[in-house]
Amino acid sequence: MLSAVLAAVVLCALALAADAPVPDFKLVKLGDGVWAAIGSDGGKAGANAGFVIGEDGVAVVDTFEDPGAAKQLLAEIRKITPLPIRFVVNTHYHLDHVNGNDVFAAAGATVLAQRNVRDWMRTENLKWWGDKIKPEVKARVESLKLPDVVYDSSLDLYLGTRKLEVRSYPGHTGGDSIVYLHDAGVVFCGDLFWKEHIPNMIDATSDAWIKTLDELVGSGAGKFVPGHGEPGTSLDVRAFQQYLVNLRAAVGRAQAAGKRGDALVEAVLPEMQAKYGSWGFFQEFAKTNIQQTGEELAGTKRRPQPAEGTASAAPAVPYLPLRVKVGEKAPDFALPSANGGTLRLSALEGKPVLLDFYEGFW
Ligand SMILES: [Zn+2]
């Protein structure tokens, strides 16, 4: 992916050598003290970022693919406010969103991310180059500025009275977060949302991703900042969701017709080209989207895994309130009680109890 992007950078540079250079990113004001930094496709920024200004400081969302572009972003923030850069939130571990972390850390920011981002940043980011990675690139990836603070599912940040709701959702890598500015109706989605761009699905779990997009639309926000592309509305989030739905359906149909490998790509690509050929990154990602979704549906896809023993690695457990009815024969087994003893469930008749209910237990 990065080599394709690098090729695009070179082609862009050649094509534009005679004209004014395309800026690496542009700032878009989305509300009072809420800014998106929209990276140009093929530019050094490599992705979108953003920042939020509160009464006592600034929080930055993602830090671009290139430290030079991150320094430019810091300089742009400095033109708008002298307040300290207090936080960086990394929406996920991919290099195009974290390679400027050190720039903002040097400016005083504490870097925050979902736990898996810290576990994967210096390892999983090596895969973009494979065996051909240059020593200096490897050294850079292996010294990326890691998050200082990690969380499993959510975190609230305050800039004075301004609240940023950081929430983790599955789908794109398994360690993605959004930043929701309720007071401005803005969601920074990271790469959970791509506006009119074909997504990078190398780590994706597309069925979970489709559900996540329902939740983002359900937030009621009016403005959604994607990881790539211009800021959009809930309609754009729905259009992106439909891409994932269409991709899964087309791949599933072709697999049912016996298509595998290159034949699968050949069978599905024309349909996707007809619908999405005008989207950004079609050349870069459309074929791999088909291959990777094929692996996903076949159950053979490799995805980065949470570290052993972390809450991120534990299966989600639904928590059900259960009322034991009077006169009903309750299942009579021992439960651990709060004081270290055991409690017979039959002794709880008539009382509301909360049980940890594991799928497959009953
Ligand atoms: Zn990205």
Side-chain angles (χ1 to χ4, degrees), residues 330 332 343-349 351:
D332 198 16
L343 200 61
R344 312 267 343 149
L345 189 58
S346 55
L348 296 174
E349 280 189 356
K351 300 188 181 92

Side-chain angles (χ1 to χ4, degrees), residues 38-50:
I38 304 300
S40 312
D41 287 357
K44 279 200 305 177
N48 295 342

Side-chain angles (χ1 to χ4, degrees), residues 1 46-47 92 94 96-97 172 191 194 227-228:
M1 164 231 171
H92 61 292
H94 286 170
D96 51 334
H97 298 257
H172 170 247
D191 280 359
W194 300 56
H228 300 266

Side-chain angles (χ1 to χ4, degrees), residues 33 35 50-61 74 77-78 80-89 104 108-110 157-160 164:
W35 297 79
F51 58 96
V52 179
I53 305 169
E55 292 113 348
D56 63 357
V58 180
V60 175
V61 183
L74 178 58
I77 296 171
R78 282 287 162 256
I80 296 170
T81 176
L83 288 171
I85 313 290
R86 295 187 57 206
F87 306 111
V88 163
V89 179
F104 293 96
T110 299
L157 282 180
Y158 289 89
L159 298 168
L164 289 77

Side-chain angles (χ1 to χ4, degrees), residues 165 167 169 178-189 193 211-225 232-235 237-238:
E165 297 175 29
R167 300 288 181 267
Y169 286 102
I178 59 128
V179 177
Y180 184 20
L181 261 292
H182 205 276
D183 66 32
V186 175
V187 182
F188 291 93
C189 303
F193 168 42
K211 289 181 193 137
T212 286
L213 293 166
D214 278 335
E215 303 237 1
L216 297 194
V217 170
S219 70
K223 293 171 185 169
F224 296 83
V225 182
T233 67
S234 61
L235 292 178
V237 178
R238 285 289 184 215

Side-chain angles (χ1 to χ4, degrees), residues 191-211:
D191 280 359
L192 286 166
F193 168 42
W194 300 56
K195 164 94 182 294
E196 291 170 7
H197 279 68
I198 303 296
N200 181 345
M201 296 183 74
I202 191 167
D203 301 322
T205 306
S206 58
D207 52 348
W209 196 343
I210 289 164
K211 289 181 193 137

